[in-house]
Amino acid sequence: MIIVCTFVFLVPVHFGVYFGYIERDKAETAKLIEQFHTRMNTGQFDLIYDDASLYLRRSATRETLTGAMRKAKDDYGAFERVQSSQISVVKESDIEIRAVYNSSFEKGDATEWFIFSIEGRNLRLRFYDVQRVHFPSPKAISLEYQTFS
């Protein structure tokens, strides 16, 4: 009996199966995006950078990334509200949580793209982009196969 129980607990780890955390990760991602919007609106770009994934922080200098955040805030104005959104957990070599938000900003509507990855026990921002493109419904976009650069 002990051998069977041990085997059952080792099988998900051995095959890399990801059970039971999808809804929790989606909810945590939604909270982190809300925090992101608050920080962008209040100009806390260094906090966003400090909490970002190692991958994102290694992609460019602090000055470059915080400068891009400042430019986005200048171009779009303050975040106002989410019109519609979709969050998906994607299982590739690493677990990624991808989100697309149709959002209203002070200077108009835009679509935001987010990717979060798991580092240790925390979700960290790995990618962000905002564009004036506005999709009728984020649910029409397959986040499972969307490639981000």
Side-chain angles (χ1 to χ4, degrees):
M1 181 70 165
I2 293 173
I3 293 170
V4 172
C5 291
T6 303
F7 179 75
V8 169
F9 287 114
L10 291 178
V11 169
V13 174
H14 177 71
F15 292 108
V17 178
Y18 183 69
F19 290 118
Y21 299 107
I22 292 173
E23 293 308 314
R24 184 193 70 187
D25 288 348
K26 286 181 178 182
E28 179 67 18
T29 298
K31 288 179 190 174
L32 290 171
I33 291 171
E34 186 177 319
Q35 178 186 67
F36 175 89
H37 286 138
T38 299
R39 288 177 173 179
M40 283 289 284
N41 281 352
T42 57
Q44 297 177 328
F45 308 117
D46 282 320
L47 280 176
I48 295 170
Y49 178 87
D50 291 341
D51 285 344
S53 72
L54 188 58
Y55 176 88
L56 181 61
R57 286 182 283 141
R58 286 183 175 169
S59 71
T61 66
R62 175 185 292 269
E63 292 74 25
T64 300
L65 290 173
T66 58
M69 290 179 226
R70 249 183 223 92
K71 182 173 178 356
K73 182 161 189 285
D74 290 344
D75 290 350
Y76 294 91
F79 169 82
E80 293 178 342
R81 70 181 180 87
V82 175
Q83 296 174 3
S84 58
S85 64
Q86 180 182 358
I87 299 174
S88 295
V89 176
V90 179
K91 296 170 262 180
E92 293 179 348
S93 60
D94 292 326
I95 304 296
E96 288 184 345
I97 299 86
R98 298 179 182 180
V100 59
Y101 275 51
N102 281 336
S103 302
S104 295
F105 291 86
E106 184 178 24
K107 297 180 181 178
D109 295 340
T111 298
E112 298 176 283
W113 297 90
F114 298 87
I115 298 178
F116 288 83
S117 58
I118 299 171
E119 287 184 4
R121 294 181 179 214
N122 299 308
L123 290 175
R124 304 273 184 199
L125 181 65
R126 184 179 179 135
F127 173 89
Y128 174 74
D129 190 25
V130 59
Q131 298 179 11
R132 294 255 181 241
V133 179
H134 194 71
F135 294 98
S137 168
K139 301 214 182 295
I141 301 165
S142 173
L143 294 178
E144 307 297 325
Y145 302 103
Q146 180 68 36
T147 57
F148 297 88
S149 57

